[in-house]
Amino acid sequence: MRGQGRVFRPKYGGLESRVWWLDYSVRGKRYRESSETTNKTAAQRVLRDRIGKREVGKLVGRPDRVRLAEYEKGDDGKAKLVGGLRALAEKQYDIDGLRSKERVVQCWNHLEKFFGAEARAIDIGGVRLDDYVAARLAAGAARQTVNNELSALRRGFRLAIDKGLLAVMPVFNLTTVQSARSGFFEEGEFAALLLELPRDVRDLVDFLRATGWRRDEGRLLTWAAADMVGGTIRLEDARSKSGKPRVFPFGLAPSLKALLEKHWAQRNGLYVFHRDGQPLGVGAVRSAWKRACKRAGLAGRLVHDLRRSAARDFRRAGVSEGEIMRLCGWETRSMFDRYNIIDEADLAAAVAKRFNGKVTAKSEGFAEQPH
């Protein structure tokens, strides 16, 4: 019937295709696409469905052609990312000038490993997303890590919709994760950990414990940011995760000053913490940390626990929360609160302080009551 489109089987080299194709127009625009079926009746159902969805805006572009990731061989012979949901997400990340792109790349690496670069966007959703979550958890990934990976994929879908490549996206059900973070290092634990680390990573970890800075803020620290005469480190906004510059005076911190002076005397290239002149790799730091924690009986501890511990120690020393936030790089009070920097020892000290002179805190029983 005129206006309702048609199904047909194209010929290639004189031979008729077994797969039925669709030929139809909506709002004056003509579409020709595969029905992906060899059954004519099924193809006609697909035709009616496509026309209906395009008329109401539920279908745009060629969603069957949108892949998870598309690559082509570059001039250097290596695969170059040129399209797909991944390319949209990574390109937008660069346009927005966001930091920690390395983490986003890691998320997409896991997604691509499971689904495959050639996976069609329309085939990713529902049960397949559940399968992904189950597989990652079985591989030992933390729930928050899996949530981050699904968020990266969701971002790719949203960008595809914004660009007119897709009209709809799957529902992403992210699991609820307790966000308060609560790991701390005591002095004995930290000393045991340092003994198990290789020297170059050990010095980086010592720096992070002293400053409360994030791993990559220390790992990528350059000598251009260090004023060895004035005794300060300046982290420019481009290096700071919060996007704001930061100053850390180290001149009156003897152990930190000694650490930086040692590296200054042995400097080799741009980076403070390096291996053969190049910044320590994320993989090298991660593997060294994991091995050292296991050997020191601290399996499961996180590099980020150094940041929590530094904030707690600043607070115990009487430093105000506002000053801690500026030194360590928390932009908002809500983010600072997530780090839950008061531990059980602090709470016990608070109780002892409250009852000082009335009821003393003892390890055994209660004080004898007068008759």
Side-chain angles (χ1 to χ4, degrees):
M1 183 180 296
R2 184 177 178 80
Q4 296 301 306
R6 68 186 180 104
V7 297
F8 70 101
R9 289 190 293 188
K11 291 184 178 181
Y12 301 100
L15 298 176
E16 192 173 60
S17 169
R18 296 181 65 249
V19 176
W20 289 89
W21 277 62
L22 316 178
D23 182 10
Y24 61 98
S25 298
V26 175
R27 297 189 182 92
K29 185 173 182 179
R30 189 177 184 181
Y31 298 92
R32 285 194 174 189
E33 54 194 271
S34 172
S35 70
E36 300 186 359
T37 179
T38 58
N39 183 285
K40 183 176 182 179
T41 301
Q44 290 172 331
R45 286 197 298 267
V46 173
L47 174 64
R48 291 191 295 270
D49 179 69
R50 296 282 173 86
I51 292 175
K53 286 183 177 179
R54 288 196 186 277
E55 286 179 340
V56 298
K58 290 185 177 181
L59 180 64
V60 297
R62 289 293 306 274
D64 56 305
R65 292 185 178 180
V66 179
R67 307 288 174 173
L68 185 74
E70 296 179 23
Y71 294 89
E72 64 179 23
K73 185 176 292 187
D75 295 337
D76 58 0
K78 297 181 180 179
K80 179 181 178 182
L81 181 65
V82 295
L85 301 179
R86 177 171 186 168
L88 290 174
E90 292 191 12
K91 182 178 181 180
Q92 191 63 45
Y93 204 88
D94 292 334
I95 292 173
D96 293 339
L98 299 177
R99 292 156 183 83
S100 301
K101 183 180 178 180
E102 192 174 73
R103 295 184 180 180
V104 174
V105 172
Q106 290 173 358
C107 289
W108 281 100
N109 286 343
H110 286 295
L111 291 164
E112 193 173 311
K113 181 178 179 181
F114 180 84
F115 292 108
E118 291 297 316
R120 300 186 308 173
I122 59 177
D123 294 330
I124 300 174
V127 174
R128 288 294 286 158
L129 288 176
D130 291 343
D131 290 343
Y132 177 78
V133 172
R136 292 290 290 128
L137 292 176
R143 292 187 181 275
Q144 186 57 56
T145 298
V146 178
N147 279 354
N148 293 342
E149 292 162 4
L150 291 179
S151 295
L153 180 59
R154 180 173 60 186
R155 175 65 168 158
F157 270 101
R158 286 177 174 169
L159 288 169
I161 291 174
D162 291 344
K163 307 300 182 184
L165 302 176
L166 296 174
V168 295
M169 61 183 285
V171 175
F172 289 82
N173 295 314
L174 305 186
T175 58
T176 301
V177 178
Q178 177 56 258
S179 60
R181 301 166 177 180
S182 56
F184 299 97
F185 276 101
E186 302 304 333
E187 290 304 320
E189 294 175 333
F190 187 63
L193 175 67
L194 290 180
L195 290 174
E196 302 295 343
L197 287 166
R199 184 188 60 79
D200 49 6
V201 178
R202 180 193 310 144
D203 287 351
L204 170 62
V205 167
D206 211 358
F207 174 86
L208 298 179
R209 176 70 173 81
T211 60
W213 284 14
R214 299 173 181 87
R215 181 197 65 192
D216 285 357
E217 291 172 346
R219 187 177 66 84
L220 300 175
L221 181 66
T222 64
W223 286 117
D227 180 356
M228 298 303 294
V229 176
T232 60
I233 304 172
R234 294 183 179 276
L235 189 66
E236 300 300 329
D237 53 1
R239 286 289 193 189
S240 171
K241 182 179 178 182
S242 66
K244 294 183 178 180
R246 190 185 319 156
V247 177
F248 194 102
F250 65 84
L252 296 179
S255 60
L256 180 57
K257 181 180 179 182
L259 174 67
L260 291 173
E261 287 179 342
K262 180 186 73 172
H263 276 261
W264 174 253
Q266 302 171 353
R267 63 189 182 278
N268 177 19
L270 299 175
Y271 297 94
V272 177
F273 304 103
H274 65 87
R275 185 170 288 176
D276 297 326
Q278 297 300 315
L280 294 171
V282 172
V285 174
R286 184 184 293 120
S287 59
W289 174 271
K290 187 175 181 179
R291 286 194 303 269
C293 284
K294 184 177 181 180
R295 292 171 180 170
L298 300 168
R301 303 302 290 272
L302 306 175
V303 174
H304 233 54
D305 291 342
L306 301 172
R307 183 165 165 78
R308 286 185 275 277
S309 301
R312 178 199 60 183
D313 292 349
F314 275 126
R315 187 189 58 75
R316 284 179 173 177
V319 181
S320 72
E321 293 182 353
E323 290 169 328
I324 296 172
M325 291 171 64
R326 288 194 291 274
L327 285 169
C328 301
W330 280 289
E331 184 175 3
T332 65
R333 177 57 191 265
S334 62
M335 288 300 297
F336 180 73
D337 288 343
R338 287 183 63 200
Y339 279 73
N340 193 23
I341 64 170
I342 299 178
D343 64 9
E344 291 183 9
D346 294 326
L347 297 176
V351 172
K353 183 177 181 180
R354 161 69 175 82
F355 291 98
N356 185 32
K358 298 179 182 179
V359 179
T360 57
K362 293 186 176 181
S363 60
E364 295 181 4
F366 296 94
E368 182 179 350
Q369 297 299 317
H371 295 290

